[in-house]
PDB file of all heavy atoms in Angstrom:
ATOM      1  N   MET A   1       0.875  -1.200  -0.090  1.00  0.00           N
ATOM      2  CA  MET A   1       0.031  -0.067   0.055  1.00  0.00           C
ATOM      3  C   MET A   1       0.775   1.240  -0.040  1.00  0.00           C
ATOM      4  O   MET A   1       0.699   2.284  -0.661  1.00  0.00           O
ATOM      5  CB  MET A   1      -0.930   0.008   1.217  1.00  0.00           C
ATOM      6  CG  MET A   1      -1.934   1.037   1.137  1.00  0.00           C
ATOM      7  SD  MET A   1      -3.265   0.674  -0.016  1.00  0.00           S
ATOM      8  CE  MET A   1      -4.321   2.103   0.327  1.00  0.00           C
ATOM      9  N   LYS A   2       1.931   1.247   0.704  1.00  0.00           N
ATOM     10  CA  LYS A   2       2.900   2.305   0.853  1.00  0.00           C
ATOM     11  C   LYS A   2       3.537   2.627  -0.456  1.00  0.00           C
ATOM     12  O   LYS A   2       3.723   3.689  -0.961  1.00  0.00           O
ATOM     13  CB  LYS A   2       3.832   2.033   1.902  1.00  0.00           C
ATOM     14  CG  LYS A   2       4.749   3.252   2.315  1.00  0.00           C
ATOM     15  CD  LYS A   2       5.595   2.838   3.476  1.00  0.00           C
ATOM     16  CE  LYS A   2       6.462   4.105   3.876  1.00  0.00           C
ATOM     17  NZ  LYS A   2       7.361   3.781   5.010  1.00  0.00           N
ATOM     18  N   LYS A   3       3.856   1.524  -1.214  1.00  0.00           N
ATOM     19  CA  LYS A   3       4.531   1.714  -2.478  1.00  0.00           C
ATOM     20  C   LYS A   3       3.604   2.331  -3.514  1.00  0.00           C
ATOM     21  O   LYS A   3       3.941   3.022  -4.427  1.00  0.00           O
ATOM     22  CB  LYS A   3       5.001   0.315  -3.040  1.00  0.00           C
ATOM     23  CG  LYS A   3       6.127  -0.340  -2.201  1.00  0.00           C
ATOM     24  CD  LYS A   3       6.552  -1.615  -2.822  1.00  0.00           C
ATOM     25  CE  LYS A   3       7.657  -2.228  -2.128  1.00  0.00           C
ATOM     26  NZ  LYS A   3       8.113  -3.598  -2.673  1.00  0.00           N
ATOM     27  N   ILE A   4       2.229   1.915  -3.405  1.00  0.00           N
ATOM     28  CA  ILE A   4       1.317   2.538  -4.318  1.00  0.00           C
ATOM     29  C   ILE A   4       1.203   3.976  -4.224  1.00  0.00           C
ATOM     30  O   ILE A   4       1.079   4.746  -5.139  1.00  0.00           O
ATOM     31  CB  ILE A   4      -0.102   1.831  -4.179  1.00  0.00           C
ATOM     32  CG1 ILE A   4      -0.005   0.362  -4.634  1.00  0.00           C
ATOM     33  CG2 ILE A   4      -1.152   2.545  -4.979  1.00  0.00           C
ATOM     34  CD1 ILE A   4      -1.234  -0.529  -4.296  1.00  0.00           C
ATOM     35  N   VAL A   5       1.072   4.446  -2.911  1.00  0.00           N
ATOM     36  CA  VAL A   5       1.006   5.797  -2.636  1.00  0.00           C
ATOM     37  C   VAL A   5       2.220   6.668  -3.207  1.00  0.00           C
ATOM     38  O   VAL A   5       2.121   7.638  -3.733  1.00  0.00           O
ATOM     39  CB  VAL A   5       0.948   5.970  -1.065  1.00  0.00           C
ATOM     40  CG1 VAL A   5       0.985   7.625  -0.702  1.00  0.00           C
ATOM     41  CG2 VAL A   5      -0.431   5.504  -0.616  1.00  0.00           C
ATOM     42  N   ILE A   6       3.409   6.020  -2.925  1.00  0.00           N
ATOM     43  CA  ILE A   6       4.679   6.623  -3.387  1.00  0.00           C
ATOM     44  C   ILE A   6       4.566   6.768  -4.955  1.00  0.00           C
ATOM     45  O   ILE A   6       4.886   7.709  -5.520  1.00  0.00           O
ATOM     46  CB  ILE A   6       5.899   5.841  -2.945  1.00  0.00           C
ATOM     47  CG1 ILE A   6       6.021   6.025  -1.506  1.00  0.00           C
ATOM     48  CG2 ILE A   6       7.144   6.369  -3.645  1.00  0.00           C
ATOM     49  CD1 ILE A   6       7.076   5.081  -0.795  1.00  0.00           C
ATOM     50  N   ALA A   7       4.098   5.725  -5.604  1.00  0.00           N
ATOM     51  CA  ALA A   7       4.065   5.729  -7.103  1.00  0.00           C
ATOM     52  C   ALA A   7       3.088   6.615  -7.578  1.00  0.00           C
ATOM     53  O   ALA A   7       3.413   7.362  -8.630  1.00  0.00           O
ATOM     54  CB  ALA A   7       3.675   4.237  -7.488  1.00  0.00           C
ATOM     55  N   GLY A   8       1.822   6.719  -6.878  1.00  0.00           N
ATOM     56  CA  GLY A   8       0.925   7.691  -7.227  1.00  0.00           C
ATOM     57  C   GLY A   8       1.406   9.116  -7.168  1.00  0.00           C
ATOM     58  O   GLY A   8       1.164   9.979  -7.968  1.00  0.00           O
ATOM     59  N   THR A   9       2.144   9.311  -6.001  1.00  0.00           N
ATOM     60  CA  THR A   9       2.784  10.630  -5.822  1.00  0.00           C
ATOM     61  C   THR A   9       3.694  11.033  -6.867  1.00  0.00           C
ATOM     62  O   THR A   9       3.759  12.072  -7.365  1.00  0.00           O
ATOM     63  CB  THR A   9       3.441  10.825  -4.456  1.00  0.00           C
ATOM     64  OG1 THR A   9       2.440  10.413  -3.507  1.00  0.00           O
ATOM     65  CG2 THR A   9       4.001  12.033  -4.214  1.00  0.00           C
ATOM     66  N   ALA A  10       4.505  10.109  -7.312  1.00  0.00           N
ATOM     67  CA  ALA A  10       5.511  10.344  -8.353  1.00  0.00           C
ATOM     68  C   ALA A  10       4.835  10.623  -9.682  1.00  0.00           C
ATOM     69  O   ALA A  10       5.268  11.495 -10.347  1.00  0.00           O
ATOM     70  CB  ALA A  10       6.348   9.013  -8.481  1.00  0.00           C
ATOM     71  N   ILE A  11       3.778   9.892  -9.959  1.00  0.00           N
ATOM     72  CA  ILE A  11       3.092  10.172 -11.156  1.00  0.00           C
ATOM     73  C   ILE A  11       2.475  11.513 -11.181  1.00  0.00           C
ATOM     74  O   ILE A  11       2.500  12.322 -12.192  1.00  0.00           O
ATOM     75  CB  ILE A  11       1.904   9.085 -11.470  1.00  0.00           C
ATOM     76  CG1 ILE A  11       2.619   7.771 -11.703  1.00  0.00           C
ATOM     77  CG2 ILE A  11       1.141   9.442 -12.552  1.00  0.00           C
ATOM     78  CD1 ILE A  11       1.603   6.544 -11.681  1.00  0.00           C
ATOM     79  N   SER A  12       1.932  11.984 -10.087  1.00  0.00           N
ATOM     80  CA  SER A  12       1.290  13.259  -9.818  1.00  0.00           C
ATOM     81  C   SER A  12       2.262  14.374 -10.058  1.00  0.00           C
ATOM     82  O   SER A  12       2.068  15.376 -10.828  1.00  0.00           O
ATOM     83  CB  SER A  12       0.619  13.489  -8.396  1.00  0.00           C
ATOM     84  OG  SER A  12      -0.335  12.528  -8.273  1.00  0.00           O
ATOM     85  N   ILE A  13       3.512  14.143  -9.592  1.00  0.00           N
ATOM     86  CA  ILE A  13       4.752  15.105  -9.803  1.00  0.00           C
ATOM     87  C   ILE A  13       5.076  15.257 -11.256  1.00  0.00           C
ATOM     88  O   ILE A  13       5.242  16.274 -11.758  1.00  0.00           O
ATOM     89  CB  ILE A  13       5.832  14.754  -8.930  1.00  0.00           C
ATOM     90  CG1 ILE A  13       5.566  14.913  -7.364  1.00  0.00           C
ATOM     91  CG2 ILE A  13       7.096  15.536  -9.277  1.00  0.00           C
ATOM     92  CD1 ILE A  13       6.600  14.311  -6.446  1.00  0.00           C
ATOM     93  N   ILE A  14       5.094  14.038 -11.873  1.00  0.00           N
ATOM     94  CA  ILE A  14       5.486  14.060 -13.293  1.00  0.00           C
ATOM     95  C   ILE A  14       4.451  14.738 -14.093  1.00  0.00           C
ATOM     96  O   ILE A  14       4.725  15.566 -15.000  1.00  0.00           O
ATOM     97  CB  ILE A  14       5.659  12.636 -13.769  1.00  0.00           C
ATOM     98  CG1 ILE A  14       6.905  11.992 -13.132  1.00  0.00           C
ATOM     99  CG2 ILE A  14       5.756  12.595 -15.353  1.00  0.00           C
ATOM    100  CD1 ILE A  14       7.009  10.454 -13.392  1.00  0.00           C
ATOM    101  N   VAL A  15       3.180  14.492 -13.833  1.00  0.00           N
ATOM    102  CA  VAL A  15       1.985  15.167 -14.562  1.00  0.00           C
ATOM    103  C   VAL A  15       2.094  16.649 -14.278  1.00  0.00           C
ATOM    104  O   VAL A  15       1.916  17.445 -15.282  1.00  0.00           O
ATOM    105  CB  VAL A  15       0.635  14.630 -14.038  1.00  0.00           C
ATOM    106  CG1 VAL A  15      -0.478  15.410 -14.709  1.00  0.00           C
ATOM    107  CG2 VAL A  15       0.481  13.144 -14.608  1.00  0.00           C
ATOM    108  N   LEU A  16       2.210  17.159 -13.011  1.00  0.00           N
ATOM    109  CA  LEU A  16       2.282  18.510 -12.768  1.00  0.00           C
ATOM    110  C   LEU A  16       3.481  19.152 -13.460  1.00  0.00           C
ATOM    111  O   LEU A  16       3.461  20.388 -13.911  1.00  0.00           O
ATOM    112  CB  LEU A  16       2.341  18.734 -11.205  1.00  0.00           C
ATOM    113  CG  LEU A  16       1.139  18.439 -10.524  1.00  0.00           C
ATOM    114  CD1 LEU A  16       1.269  18.504  -9.012  1.00  0.00           C
ATOM    115  CD2 LEU A  16      -0.003  19.403 -10.972  1.00  0.00           C
ATOM    116  N   THR A  17       4.693  18.421 -13.520  1.00  0.00           N
ATOM    117  CA  THR A  17       5.847  18.951 -14.122  1.00  0.00           C
ATOM    118  C   THR A  17       5.637  19.053 -15.587  1.00  0.00           C
ATOM    119  O   THR A  17       5.982  20.145 -16.205  1.00  0.00           O
ATOM    120  CB  THR A  17       7.014  17.981 -13.912  1.00  0.00           C
ATOM    121  OG1 THR A  17       7.211  17.728 -12.595  1.00  0.00           O
ATOM    122  CG2 THR A  17       8.267  18.574 -14.579  1.00  0.00           C
ATOM    123  N   ILE A  18       4.895  18.096 -16.275  1.00  0.00           N
ATOM    124  CA  ILE A  18       4.592  18.234 -17.645  1.00  0.00           C
ATOM    125  C   ILE A  18       3.646  19.396 -17.971  1.00  0.00           C
ATOM    126  O   ILE A  18       3.891  20.222 -18.888  1.00  0.00           O
ATOM    127  CB  ILE A  18       3.831  16.913 -18.187  1.00  0.00           C
ATOM    128  CG1 ILE A  18       4.898  15.836 -18.077  1.00  0.00           C
ATOM    129  CG2 ILE A  18       3.343  17.083 -19.459  1.00  0.00           C
ATOM    130  CD1 ILE A  18       4.400  14.446 -18.441  1.00  0.00           C
ATOM    131  N   ILE A  19       2.568  19.588 -17.056  1.00  0.00           N
ATOM    132  CA  ILE A  19       1.681  20.717 -17.209  1.00  0.00           C
ATOM    133  C   ILE A  19       2.437  21.951 -17.070  1.00  0.00           C
ATOM    134  O   ILE A  19       2.191  22.919 -17.847  1.00  0.00           O
ATOM    135  CB  ILE A  19       0.491  20.631 -16.257  1.00  0.00           C
ATOM    136  CG1 ILE A  19      -0.315  19.400 -16.563  1.00  0.00           C
ATOM    137  CG2 ILE A  19      -0.365  21.861 -16.161  1.00  0.00           C
ATOM    138  CD1 ILE A  19      -1.435  19.086 -15.486  1.00  0.00           C
ATOM    139  N   SER A  20       3.285  22.107 -16.038  1.00  0.00           N
ATOM    140  CA  SER A  20       3.907  23.354 -15.760  1.00  0.00           C
ATOM    141  C   SER A  20       4.943  23.639 -16.846  1.00  0.00           C
ATOM    142  O   SER A  20       5.032  24.840 -17.328  1.00  0.00           O
ATOM    143  CB  SER A  20       4.705  23.220 -14.484  1.00  0.00           C
ATOM    144  OG  SER A  20       5.534  24.305 -14.190  1.00  0.00           O
ATOM    145  N   SER A  21       5.628  22.561 -17.434  1.00  0.00           N
ATOM    146  CA  SER A  21       6.498  22.840 -18.557  1.00  0.00           C
ATOM    147  C   SER A  21       5.868  23.339 -19.821  1.00  0.00           C
ATOM    148  O   SER A  21       6.219  24.182 -20.502  1.00  0.00           O
ATOM    149  CB  SER A  21       7.287  21.577 -18.853  1.00  0.00           C
ATOM    150  OG  SER A  21       8.129  21.633 -20.016  1.00  0.00           O
ATOM    151  N   ALA A  22       4.604  22.639 -20.034  1.00  0.00           N
ATOM    152  CA  ALA A  22       3.838  22.975 -21.288  1.00  0.00           C
ATOM    153  C   ALA A  22       3.299  24.379 -21.222  1.00  0.00           C
ATOM    154  O   ALA A  22       2.933  24.913 -22.254  1.00  0.00           O
ATOM    155  CB  ALA A  22       2.809  21.863 -21.489  1.00  0.00           C
ATOM    156  N   SER A  23       3.050  24.897 -19.978  1.00  0.00           N
ATOM    157  CA  SER A  23       2.342  26.077 -19.933  1.00  0.00           C
ATOM    158  C   SER A  23       3.248  27.249 -19.558  1.00  0.00           C
ATOM    159  O   SER A  23       2.804  28.306 -19.098  1.00  0.00           O
ATOM    160  CB  SER A  23       1.178  25.958 -18.825  1.00  0.00           C
ATOM    161  OG  SER A  23       1.746  25.609 -17.624  1.00  0.00           O
ATOM    162  N   ALA A  24       4.518  27.091 -19.599  1.00  0.00           N
ATOM    163  CA  ALA A  24       5.451  28.091 -19.158  1.00  0.00           C
ATOM    164  C   ALA A  24       5.346  29.355 -19.969  1.00  0.00           C
ATOM    165  O   ALA A  24       5.086  29.223 -21.200  1.00  0.00           O
ATOM    166  CB  ALA A  24       6.926  27.422 -19.218  1.00  0.00           C
ATOM    167  N   PHE A  25       5.654  30.508 -19.402  1.00  0.00           N
ATOM    168  CA  PHE A  25       5.660  31.818 -20.138  1.00  0.00           C
ATOM    169  C   PHE A  25       6.862  31.755 -21.186  1.00  0.00           C
ATOM    170  O   PHE A  25       7.988  31.418 -20.745  1.00  0.00           O
ATOM    171  CB  PHE A  25       5.837  32.876 -19.125  1.00  0.00           C
ATOM    172  CG  PHE A  25       5.919  34.251 -19.747  1.00  0.00           C
ATOM    173  CD1 PHE A  25       4.818  35.049 -19.821  1.00  0.00           C
ATOM    174  CD2 PHE A  25       7.180  34.710 -20.103  1.00  0.00           C
ATOM    175  CE1 PHE A  25       5.014  36.371 -20.457  1.00  0.00           C
ATOM    176  CE2 PHE A  25       7.288  35.959 -20.672  1.00  0.00           C
ATOM    177  CZ  PHE A  25       6.144  36.781 -20.783  1.00  0.00           C
ATOM    178  N   GLU A  26       6.631  32.174 -22.434  1.00  0.00           N
ATOM    179  CA  GLU A  26       7.673  32.129 -23.386  1.00  0.00           C
ATOM    180  C   GLU A  26       7.562  33.358 -24.219  1.00  0.00           C
ATOM    181  O   GLU A  26       6.474  33.810 -24.584  1.00  0.00           O
ATOM    182  CB  GLU A  26       7.655  30.908 -24.333  1.00  0.00           C
ATOM    183  CG  GLU A  26       8.003  29.586 -23.530  1.00  0.00           C
ATOM    184  CD  GLU A  26       7.951  28.480 -24.508  1.00  0.00           C
ATOM    185  OE1 GLU A  26       7.808  28.692 -25.627  1.00  0.00           O
ATOM    186  OE2 GLU A  26       7.990  27.303 -24.003  1.00  0.00           O
ATOM    187  N   GLY A  27       8.630  33.961 -24.635  1.00  0.00           N
ATOM    188  CA  GLY A  27       8.518  35.083 -25.504  1.00  0.00           C
ATOM    189  C   GLY A  27       8.262  36.465 -24.821  1.00  0.00           C
ATOM    190  O   GLY A  27       7.404  36.484 -23.797  1.00  0.00           O
ATOM    191  N   GLY A  28       8.889  37.547 -25.151  1.00  0.00           N
ATOM    192  CA  GLY A  28       8.699  38.885 -24.459  1.00  0.00           C
ATOM    193  C   GLY A  28       9.214  38.869 -23.164  1.00  0.00           C
ATOM    194  O   GLY A  28       9.811  38.072 -22.590  1.00  0.00           O
ATOM    195  N   GLY A  29       8.982  39.983 -22.461  1.00  0.00           N
ATOM    196  CA  GLY A  29       9.462  40.226 -21.092  1.00  0.00           C
ATOM    197  C   GLY A  29       8.211  40.458 -20.250  1.00  0.00           C
ATOM    198  O   GLY A  29       7.207  40.861 -20.658  1.00  0.00           O
ATOM    199  N   ARG A  30       8.439  40.242 -18.859  1.00  0.00           N
ATOM    200  CA  ARG A  30       7.465  40.507 -17.931  1.00  0.00           C
ATOM    201  C   ARG A  30       7.397  41.918 -17.479  1.00  0.00           C
ATOM    202  O   ARG A  30       6.419  42.252 -16.799  1.00  0.00           O
ATOM    203  CB  ARG A  30       7.615  39.603 -16.721  1.00  0.00           C
ATOM    204  CG  ARG A  30       7.278  38.075 -17.068  1.00  0.00           C
ATOM    205  CD  ARG A  30       7.515  37.144 -15.822  1.00  0.00           C
ATOM    206  NE  ARG A  30       7.112  35.791 -16.167  1.00  0.00           N
ATOM    207  CZ  ARG A  30       6.034  35.195 -16.050  1.00  0.00           C
ATOM    208  NH1 ARG A  30       4.880  35.974 -15.638  1.00  0.00           N
ATOM    209  NH2 ARG A  30       5.685  33.960 -16.284  1.00  0.00           N
ATOM    210  N   LYS A  31       8.359  42.656 -17.796  1.00  0.00           N
ATOM    211  CA  LYS A  31       8.334  44.140 -17.571  1.00  0.00           C
ATOM    212  C   LYS A  31       9.094  44.841 -18.615  1.00  0.00           C
ATOM    213  O   LYS A  31       9.952  44.214 -19.328  1.00  0.00           O
ATOM    214  CB  LYS A  31       8.766  44.461 -16.111  1.00  0.00           C
ATOM    215  CG  LYS A  31      10.240  43.792 -15.824  1.00  0.00           C
ATOM    216  CD  LYS A  31      10.597  44.001 -14.377  1.00  0.00           C
ATOM    217  CE  LYS A  31      11.970  43.417 -14.004  1.00  0.00           C
ATOM    218  NZ  LYS A  31      12.283  43.604 -12.620  1.00  0.00           N
ATOM    219  N   PRO A  32       8.946  46.213 -18.757  1.00  0.00           N
ATOM    220  CA  PRO A  32       9.595  46.877 -19.856  1.00  0.00           C
ATOM    221  C   PRO A  32      11.070  46.649 -19.960  1.00  0.00           C
ATOM    222  O   PRO A  32      11.698  46.552 -20.978  1.00  0.00           O
ATOM    223  CB  PRO A  32       9.209  48.350 -19.646  1.00  0.00           C
ATOM    224  CG  PRO A  32       7.853  48.243 -18.907  1.00  0.00           C
ATOM    225  CD  PRO A  32       7.934  47.035 -18.073  1.00  0.00           C
ATOM    226  N   SER A  33      11.851  46.643 -18.755  1.00  0.00           N
ATOM    227  CA  SER A  33      13.305  46.522 -18.770  1.00  0.00           C
ATOM    228  C   SER A  33      13.672  45.193 -19.350  1.00  0.00           C
ATOM    229  O   SER A  33      14.862  44.949 -19.704  1.00  0.00           O
ATOM    230  CB  SER A  33      13.843  46.755 -17.337  1.00  0.00           C
ATOM    231  OG  SER A  33      13.405  45.775 -16.513  1.00  0.00           O
ATOM    232  N   GLU A  34      12.819  44.167 -19.253  1.00  0.00           N
ATOM    233  CA  GLU A  34      13.127  42.777 -19.851  1.00  0.00           C
ATOM    234  C   GLU A  34      12.685  42.581 -21.309  1.00  0.00           C
ATOM    235  O   GLU A  34      12.808  41.526 -21.714  1.00  0.00           O
ATOM    236  CB  GLU A  34      12.441  41.843 -19.040  1.00  0.00           C
ATOM    237  CG  GLU A  34      13.040  41.815 -17.509  1.00  0.00           C
ATOM    238  CD  GLU A  34      12.230  40.842 -16.609  1.00  0.00           C
ATOM    239  OE1 GLU A  34      11.213  40.227 -17.134  1.00  0.00           O
ATOM    240  OE2 GLU A  34      12.561  40.640 -15.448  1.00  0.00           O
ATOM    241  N   ALA A  35      11.927  43.556 -21.815  1.00  0.00           N
ATOM    242  CA  ALA A  35      11.324  43.416 -23.131  1.00  0.00           C
ATOM    243  C   ALA A  35      12.465  43.396 -24.253  1.00  0.00           C
ATOM    244  O   ALA A  35      13.269  44.309 -24.381  1.00  0.00           O
ATOM    245  CB  ALA A  35      10.360  44.620 -23.394  1.00  0.00           C
ATOM    246  N   PRO A  36      12.339  42.328 -25.123  1.00  0.00           N
ATOM    247  CA  PRO A  36      13.312  42.312 -26.205  1.00  0.00           C
ATOM    248  C   PRO A  36      12.891  43.230 -27.243  1.00  0.00           C
ATOM    249  O   PRO A  36      11.780  43.572 -27.515  1.00  0.00           O
ATOM    250  CB  PRO A  36      13.178  40.807 -26.755  1.00  0.00           C
ATOM    251  CG  PRO A  36      11.735  40.384 -26.223  1.00  0.00           C
ATOM    252  CD  PRO A  36      11.564  41.068 -25.009  1.00  0.00           C
ATOM    253  N   LEU A  37      13.930  43.753 -27.946  1.00  0.00           N
ATOM    254  CA  LEU A  37      13.698  44.738 -29.146  1.00  0.00           C
ATOM    255  C   LEU A  37      13.204  43.988 -30.283  1.00  0.00           C
ATOM    256  O   LEU A  37      13.781  43.128 -30.761  1.00  0.00           O
ATOM    257  CB  LEU A  37      15.011  45.513 -29.339  1.00  0.00           C
ATOM    258  CG  LEU A  37      14.882  46.447 -30.585  1.00  0.00           C
ATOM    259  CD1 LEU A  37      13.823  47.540 -30.249  1.00  0.00           C
ATOM    260  CD2 LEU A  37      16.274  47.058 -30.840  1.00  0.00           C
ATOM    261  N   VAL A  38      12.120  44.354 -30.885  1.00  0.00           N
ATOM    262  CA  VAL A  38      11.572  43.783 -32.013  1.00  0.00           C
ATOM    263  C   VAL A  38      12.145  44.369 -33.321  1.00  0.00           C
ATOM    264  O   VAL A  38      12.496  45.532 -33.442  1.00  0.00           O
ATOM    265  CB  VAL A  38      10.041  44.219 -32.212  1.00  0.00           C
ATOM    266  CG1 VAL A  38       9.524  43.694 -33.546  1.00  0.00           C
ATOM    267  CG2 VAL A  38       9.247  43.554 -31.010  1.00  0.00           C
ATOM    268  N   THR A  39      12.744  43.389 -34.171  1.00  0.00           N
ATOM    269  CA  THR A  39      13.287  43.783 -35.474  1.00  0.00           C
ATOM    270  C   THR A  39      12.182  43.645 -36.485  1.00  0.00           C
ATOM    271  O   THR A  39      11.479  42.686 -36.605  1.00  0.00           O
ATOM    272  CB  THR A  39      14.465  42.759 -35.801  1.00  0.00           C
ATOM    273  OG1 THR A  39      15.463  42.936 -34.826  1.00  0.00           O
ATOM    274  CG2 THR A  39      14.986  43.227 -37.257  1.00  0.00           C
ATOM    275  N   VAL A  40      12.016  44.840 -37.214  1.00  0.00           N
ATOM    276  CA  VAL A  40      10.914  44.767 -38.208  1.00  0.00           C
ATOM    277  C   VAL A  40      11.154  43.701 -39.292  1.00  0.00           C
ATOM    278  O   VAL A  40      12.302  43.426 -39.758  1.00  0.00           O
ATOM    279  CB  VAL A  40      10.870  46.163 -38.943  1.00  0.00           C
ATOM    280  CG1 VAL A  40      10.056  46.208 -40.236  1.00  0.00           C
ATOM    281  CG2 VAL A  40      10.466  47.229 -37.998  1.00  0.00           C
ATOM    282  N   GLY A  41      10.085  42.936 -39.606  1.00  0.00           N
ATOM    283  CA  GLY A  41      10.166  41.915 -40.501  1.00  0.00           C
ATOM    284  C   GLY A  41      10.469  40.551 -40.008  1.00  0.00           C
ATOM    285  O   GLY A  41      10.438  39.474 -40.713  1.00  0.00           O
ATOM    286  N   GLN A  42      10.905  40.454 -38.767  1.00  0.00           N
ATOM    287  CA  GLN A  42      11.358  39.159 -38.192  1.00  0.00           C
ATOM    288  C   GLN A  42      10.113  38.369 -37.553  1.00  0.00           C
ATOM    289  O   GLN A  42       9.287  39.109 -36.950  1.00  0.00           O
ATOM    290  CB  GLN A  42      12.406  39.360 -37.136  1.00  0.00           C
ATOM    291  CG  GLN A  42      13.030  38.080 -36.623  1.00  0.00           C
ATOM    292  CD  GLN A  42      14.292  38.207 -35.709  1.00  0.00           C
ATOM    293  OE1 GLN A  42      15.021  39.112 -36.046  1.00  0.00           O
ATOM    294  NE2 GLN A  42      14.438  37.485 -34.653  1.00  0.00           N
ATOM    295  N   HIS A  43      10.035  37.099 -37.650  1.00  0.00           N
ATOM    296  CA  HIS A  43       8.929  36.356 -37.104  1.00  0.00           C
ATOM    297  C   HIS A  43       9.274  35.963 -35.605  1.00  0.00           C
ATOM    298  O   HIS A  43      10.255  35.480 -35.318  1.00  0.00           O
ATOM    299  CB  HIS A  43       8.735  35.128 -37.855  1.00  0.00           C
ATOM    300  CG  HIS A  43       7.589  34.317 -37.621  1.00  0.00           C
ATOM    301  ND1 HIS A  43       7.344  33.096 -38.080  1.00  0.00           N
ATOM    302  CD2 HIS A  43       6.493  34.562 -36.775  1.00  0.00           C
ATOM    303  CE1 HIS A  43       6.178  32.632 -37.520  1.00  0.00           C
ATOM    304  NE2 HIS A  43       5.807  33.514 -36.757  1.00  0.00           N
ATOM    305  N   TYR A  44       8.358  36.348 -34.758  1.00  0.00           N
ATOM    306  CA  TYR A  44       8.523  35.972 -33.275  1.00  0.00           C
ATOM    307  C   TYR A  44       7.399  34.955 -32.888  1.00  0.00           C
ATOM    308  O   TYR A  44       6.248  35.139 -33.445  1.00  0.00           O
ATOM    309  CB  TYR A  44       8.428  37.148 -32.570  1.00  0.00           C
ATOM    310  CG  TYR A  44       9.615  38.171 -32.730  1.00  0.00           C
ATOM    311  CD1 TYR A  44       9.501  39.218 -33.718  1.00  0.00           C
ATOM    312  CD2 TYR A  44      10.834  38.040 -32.033  1.00  0.00           C
ATOM    313  CE1 TYR A  44      10.557  40.092 -33.899  1.00  0.00           C
ATOM    314  CE2 TYR A  44      11.942  38.852 -32.388  1.00  0.00           C
ATOM    315  CZ  TYR A  44      11.826  39.941 -33.232  1.00  0.00           C
ATOM    316  OH  TYR A  44      12.737  40.740 -33.476  1.00  0.00           O
ATOM    317  N   THR A  45       7.749  34.136 -31.879  1.00  0.00           N
ATOM    318  CA  THR A  45       6.751  33.313 -31.226  1.00  0.00           C
ATOM    319  C   THR A  45       6.673  33.474 -29.741  1.00  0.00           C
ATOM    320  O   THR A  45       7.703  33.877 -29.150  1.00  0.00           O
ATOM    321  CB  THR A  45       7.003  31.819 -31.613  1.00  0.00           C
ATOM    322  OG1 THR A  45       8.319  31.440 -31.074  1.00  0.00           O
ATOM    323  CG2 THR A  45       6.998  31.572 -33.061  1.00  0.00           C
ATOM    324  N   GLY A  46       5.533  33.278 -29.134  1.00  0.00           N
ATOM    325  CA  GLY A  46       5.483  33.358 -27.721  1.00  0.00           C
ATOM    326  C   GLY A  46       4.306  32.485 -27.226  1.00  0.00           C
ATOM    327  O   GLY A  46       3.704  31.682 -27.952  1.00  0.00           O
ATOM    328  N   GLN A  47       4.147  32.487 -25.894  1.00  0.00           N
ATOM    329  CA  GLN A  47       3.263  31.549 -25.350  1.00  0.00           C
ATOM    330  C   GLN A  47       2.780  32.124 -23.935  1.00  0.00           C
ATOM    331  O   GLN A  47       3.653  32.610 -23.190  1.00  0.00           O
ATOM    332  CB  GLN A  47       3.919  30.264 -24.977  1.00  0.00           C
ATOM    333  CG  GLN A  47       2.975  29.174 -24.515  1.00  0.00           C
ATOM    334  CD  GLN A  47       3.696  27.825 -24.518  1.00  0.00           C
ATOM    335  OE1 GLN A  47       3.665  27.194 -25.514  1.00  0.00           O
ATOM    336  NE2 GLN A  47       4.287  27.386 -23.429  1.00  0.00           N
TER     337      GLN A  47
END
C-alpha cells in the first residue's frame, strides 16, 4: 500500500511537471526593462 502511494505521488509530480513545462511563459518580457527589441520583418513566437 505504501509503494502504491509513493508511485501515485511520483506520477502526480510528473504530470504537474509536464503541465507546468507545457504552460510556461515564453517570449517577450514580464516588464519593460526585460522586453526584447523587435526587429521589423522578423517572425517571433510566444506563449
Side-chain angles (χ1 to χ4, degrees):
M1 188 72 175
K2 190 173 182 181
K3 291 182 180 180
I4 294 174
V5 171
I6 293 172
T9 303
I11 292 171
S12 298
I13 292 172
I14 292 171
V15 170
L16 289 173
T17 301
I18 292 171
I19 292 174
S20 175
S21 175
S23 60
F25 177 97
E26 295 178 6
R30 290 182 177 266
K31 54 186 177 180
S33 63
E34 298 174 353
L37 178 64
V38 171
T39 299
V40 170
Q42 184 169 325
H43 187 191
Y44 294 93
T45 60
Q47 187 169 273

